[in-house]
Amino acid sequence: MSAVPAPLIARHARVTHPSTSRSVVSRTSTRTQFPIRHRGTSVRVTAASASSGTSTTSHDVVIVGGGLAGLCAAKRLTEAGVDFVLLESDDGVGGRLRTDKLDGFLLDRGFAIFLTGYPEAQRILDYGALQLKPFYAGADVFLDGEFHRVADPIRQPIDAVKSLNPSHPIGSVIDKVLVGLVRLQSLLGNCYEQLDADETTIALRLKSSGFSDQMIDRFFRPFMSGIFFDPKLGTSSRLFTFVMRMLATGQNCLPVDGIGAVGEQLKSKLPEGSVLLNTQVVKREEMKDDNGETVTKLTTSTGSSFIAKKSIIVATAGPDAQAISGEALDSSPSATGEPVGTTCLYFAIDGEAPFDVPILYLDGSKKPTGGQLVNNCCFPSTVSASYAPAGKALASVSIVGVPDMNDDELEWKVRSELRVWFGADEVTEQKWKHLKTYRIPFAQPSQQVPTNLNRDVRLNDGRTYVCGDHRSPATFDGAMRSGRLAAEAVIADL
């Protein structure tokens, strides 16, 4: 199997050190403000960088949100020569695809792997410029005190053959054959039509495919939990098939400059001055212009206003999209249900990583509920040396959900589990220095059965278009495609 791809995660992560304040967005057709429901994330709000005071500017289209969906919508509008402005509340673009630099280390805001197999990414991004560095096509599963390798039979045939030994504890020979069969089945048909296929849960799909409980519990549960943050495997089987196809058709990589390089590359293709950072929309109003035409006025936290003469593309996380779109979204609601979250801890290692293979490490004892905290771990600096300064290594540790414990308790618990994995002499406070913890309560919208992974980007008010992971699969590809489709709908309707 290939390494776990990170799904598309909500824009904002709460870190242990910076103080943050809650974001508020509202929509109104008069002048009354209605705050959105709290997302469980913390957001720093600062003054608008490109406009201050109470200025008003007009554009044919206003895009709200500078994550993957918003950037891809902007890129498509640019190609069509449409006048637009993109408003982003944060201090940089990319949404969740942001990379912090700390003491010479690159810290992606939540563990993220770039899958080269994504069709939308292939058509939009310059892979060469990203300088993608691949993971080993497989995973090491920790069980009963040692690691056991599960390898992609196509890319790593020698290691895959070794795993066919009857004593190998991660699945039987039949299970390994079934993995190949499922991989082959995922390649049949159009990948986007797979998102409308009959569905069940991943758990039931695996059982009906003939996989043993041992294979499901020891490999698929931690593997899929790293993608969908759902140890119960209640996520739609449509997404299982789609991800298996992406794993079969591409490599799992990290950009040399961090995952944030994806958003920065998209931004670089947009007209200068078309992206405004630190520009938070707090109110929406519909009004008439001097010619009696309906326009949309968006007011920011600094009092500046932006007039959308034709259309508004809402490319924010689901709760914000509801606040900005208002009643128009009620007729075509986004994904509902409880969102899922994750927590990511980074450690600076003095010296080399415990192992030099650029591979993903999984907890083979993962349970549907409870159990160990650590789900998966990797050493990004073994994938790309750029993630750590000379003489150092970087450890990335991922947890499903956001544990209800303080930072010191969380770090202690994680260290205790990692000492079992890599040795007490290795994971010491002197050698492994905690760098930062990212807590992301709203990592993905619900993708539990039943799902609608191809929601219409047009709303019934004739002016509002909505895109993002709450309208599509919560993957990089889903967000990028959703943004492009929203822009193409705008272009068709102008």
Side-chain angles (χ1 to χ4, degrees), residues 261-282:
V262 176
E264 291 298 328
Q265 183 182 114
L266 290 169
K267 180 176 179 289
S268 71
K269 299 178 182 296
L270 306 179
E272 184 176 357
S274 63
V275 176
L276 305 184
L277 303 177
N278 298 314
T279 305
Q280 182 192 29
V281 173
V282 296

CSV table of all heavy atoms in Angstrom, one decimal, residues 261-282:
chain,number,residue,atom,x,y,z
A,261,ALA,N,3.5,25.4,-0.4
A,261,ALA,CA,4.0,25.8,-1.7
A,261,ALA,C,2.9,25.6,-2.8
A,261,ALA,O,2.9,26.3,-3.8
A,261,ALA,CB,5.2,25.0,-2.1
A,262,VAL,N,1.9,24.7,-2.5
A,262,VAL,CA,0.8,24.5,-3.4
A,262,VAL,C,0.0,25.8,-3.6
A,262,VAL,O,-0.3,26.3,-4.7
A,262,VAL,CB,-0.1,23.3,-3.0
A,262,VAL,CG1,-1.3,23.2,-3.9
A,262,VAL,CG2,0.8,22.1,-3.0
A,263,GLY,N,-0.5,26.3,-2.4
A,263,GLY,CA,-1.2,27.6,-2.5
A,263,GLY,C,-0.5,28.7,-3.0
A,263,GLY,O,-1.0,29.6,-3.8
A,264,GLU,N,0.8,28.8,-2.7
A,264,GLU,CA,1.6,29.9,-3.2
A,264,GLU,C,1.8,29.9,-4.7
A,264,GLU,O,1.8,30.9,-5.4
A,264,GLU,CB,3.0,29.9,-2.5
A,264,GLU,CG,2.9,30.3,-1.0
A,264,GLU,CD,2.4,31.7,-0.8
A,264,GLU,OE1,2.6,32.6,-1.6
A,264,GLU,OE2,1.8,31.9,0.3
A,265,GLN,N,1.9,28.6,-5.2
A,265,GLN,CA,2.0,28.5,-6.7
A,265,GLN,C,0.8,29.0,-7.4
A,265,GLN,O,0.8,29.7,-8.4
A,265,GLN,CB,2.3,27.1,-7.1
A,265,GLN,CG,2.5,26.9,-8.6
A,265,GLN,CD,2.8,25.5,-9.0
A,265,GLN,OE1,2.0,24.9,-9.7
A,265,GLN,NE2,3.9,24.9,-8.6
A,266,LEU,N,-0.4,28.6,-6.8
A,266,LEU,CA,-1.7,29.1,-7.4
A,266,LEU,C,-1.8,30.6,-7.3
A,266,LEU,O,-2.2,31.2,-8.3
A,266,LEU,CB,-2.8,28.4,-6.7
A,266,LEU,CG,-3.0,26.9,-6.9
A,266,LEU,CD1,-4.0,26.3,-6.0
A,266,LEU,CD2,-3.4,26.7,-8.4
A,267,LYS,N,-1.4,31.2,-6.2
A,267,LYS,CA,-1.5,32.6,-6.1
A,267,LYS,C,-0.6,33.3,-7.1
A,267,LYS,O,-0.9,34.4,-7.6
A,267,LYS,CB,-1.1,33.0,-4.7
A,267,LYS,CG,-1.1,34.5,-4.4
A,267,LYS,CD,-0.8,34.8,-2.9
A,267,LYS,CE,-0.8,36.3,-2.6
A,267,LYS,NZ,0.4,37.0,-3.2
A,268,SER,N,0.6,32.7,-7.4
A,268,SER,CA,1.5,33.4,-8.3
A,268,SER,C,1.0,33.5,-9.7
A,268,SER,O,1.5,34.2,-10.5
A,268,SER,CB,2.8,32.6,-8.3
A,268,SER,OG,2.7,31.3,-9.0
A,269,LYS,N,-0.1,32.7,-10.0
A,269,LYS,CA,-0.7,32.7,-11.4
A,269,LYS,C,-1.8,33.8,-11.5
A,269,LYS,O,-2.4,33.9,-12.6
A,269,LYS,CB,-1.2,31.3,-11.7
A,269,LYS,CG,-0.1,30.3,-11.7
A,269,LYS,CD,-0.7,28.9,-12.1
A,269,LYS,CE,0.4,27.8,-12.0
A,269,LYS,NZ,1.4,28.0,-13.1
A,270,LEU,N,-2.1,34.5,-10.4
A,270,LEU,CA,-3.1,35.5,-10.4
A,270,LEU,C,-2.6,36.9,-10.6
A,270,LEU,O,-1.4,37.2,-10.3
A,270,LEU,CB,-3.9,35.4,-9.1
A,270,LEU,CG,-4.4,34.0,-8.7
A,270,LEU,CD1,-5.1,34.1,-7.3
A,270,LEU,CD2,-5.3,33.4,-9.8
A,271,PRO,N,-3.5,37.8,-11.1
A,271,PRO,CA,-3.0,39.2,-11.4
A,271,PRO,C,-2.5,39.8,-10.1
A,271,PRO,O,-3.1,39.6,-9.0
A,271,PRO,CB,-4.3,39.8,-11.9
A,271,PRO,CG,-5.1,38.7,-12.5
A,271,PRO,CD,-4.8,37.6,-11.6
A,272,GLU,N,-1.5,40.7,-10.2
A,272,GLU,CA,-1.0,41.4,-9.0
A,272,GLU,C,-2.1,42.2,-8.4
A,272,GLU,O,-2.8,42.9,-9.1
A,272,GLU,CB,0.2,42.2,-9.4
A,272,GLU,CG,0.8,43.0,-8.3
A,272,GLU,CD,2.1,43.7,-8.7
A,272,GLU,OE1,2.4,43.7,-9.9
A,272,GLU,OE2,2.6,44.4,-7.8
A,273,GLY,N,-2.3,42.2,-7.1
A,273,GLY,CA,-3.2,43.0,-6.4
A,273,GLY,C,-4.6,42.4,-6.4
A,273,GLY,O,-5.5,43.0,-5.8
A,274,SER,N,-4.8,41.2,-7.0
A,274,SER,CA,-6.2,40.6,-7.0
A,274,SER,C,-6.5,39.8,-5.7
A,274,SER,O,-7.6,39.4,-5.5
A,274,SER,CB,-6.3,39.7,-8.2
A,274,SER,OG,-5.4,38.6,-8.1
A,275,VAL,N,-5.5,39.6,-4.9
A,275,VAL,CA,-5.7,38.8,-3.7
A,275,VAL,C,-5.4,39.8,-2.5
A,275,VAL,O,-4.3,40.3,-2.4
A,275,VAL,CB,-4.7,37.6,-3.6
A,275,VAL,CG1,-4.9,36.9,-2.2
A,275,VAL,CG2,-5.0,36.6,-4.7
A,276,LEU,N,-6.4,39.9,-1.6
A,276,LEU,CA,-6.2,40.8,-0.4
A,276,LEU,C,-6.2,39.9,0.8
A,276,LEU,O,-7.2,39.2,1.1
A,276,LEU,CB,-7.3,41.8,-0.4
A,276,LEU,CG,-7.5,42.7,-1.6
A,276,LEU,CD1,-8.6,43.7,-1.4
A,276,LEU,CD2,-6.2,43.4,-2.0
A,277,LEU,N,-5.1,40.0,1.6
A,277,LEU,CA,-5.0,39.2,2.8
A,277,LEU,C,-5.5,40.0,4.0
A,277,LEU,O,-5.7,41.2,3.9
A,277,LEU,CB,-3.5,38.8,3.0
A,277,LEU,CG,-2.9,38.0,1.9
A,277,LEU,CD1,-1.4,37.7,2.2
A,277,LEU,CD2,-3.6,36.7,1.6
A,278,ASN,N,-5.7,39.3,5.1
A,278,ASN,CA,-6.1,40.0,6.3
A,278,ASN,C,-7.4,40.8,6.1
A,278,ASN,O,-7.6,41.9,6.6
A,278,ASN,CB,-5.0,40.9,6.9
A,278,ASN,CG,-3.8,40.1,7.3
A,278,ASN,OD1,-3.9,39.1,7.9
A,278,ASN,ND2,-2.7,40.6,6.9
A,279,THR,N,-8.3,40.3,5.2
A,279,THR,CA,-9.5,41.0,4.8
A,279,THR,C,-10.7,40.1,5.1
A,279,THR,O,-11.0,39.2,4.3
A,279,THR,CB,-9.4,41.3,3.3
A,279,THR,OG1,-8.2,42.1,3.1
A,279,THR,CG2,-10.6,42.2,2.9
A,280,GLN,N,-11.2,40.3,6.3
A,280,GLN,CA,-12.3,39.4,6.8
A,280,GLN,C,-13.7,40.0,6.6
A,280,GLN,O,-14.0,41.1,7.0
A,280,GLN,CB,-12.1,39.2,8.3
A,280,GLN,CG,-13.1,38.2,8.9
A,280,GLN,CD,-13.1,38.3,10.4
A,280,GLN,OE1,-12.8,39.3,11.0
A,280,GLN,NE2,-13.4,37.2,11.0
A,281,VAL,N,-14.5,39.2,5.8
A,281,VAL,CA,-15.9,39.7,5.6
A,281,VAL,C,-16.7,39.5,6.8
A,281,VAL,O,-16.7,38.4,7.4
A,281,VAL,CB,-16.5,38.9,4.4
A,281,VAL,CG1,-18.0,39.2,4.2
A,281,VAL,CG2,-15.7,39.2,3.1
A,282,VAL,N,-17.4,40.5,7.2
A,282,VAL,CA,-18.3,40.4,8.4
A,282,VAL,C,-19.8,40.6,8.1
A,282,VAL,O,-20.6,40.4,9.0
A,282,VAL,CB,-17.8,41.4,9.5
A,282,VAL,CG1,-16.4,41.0,10.0
A,282,VAL,CG2,-17.9,42.8,9.1
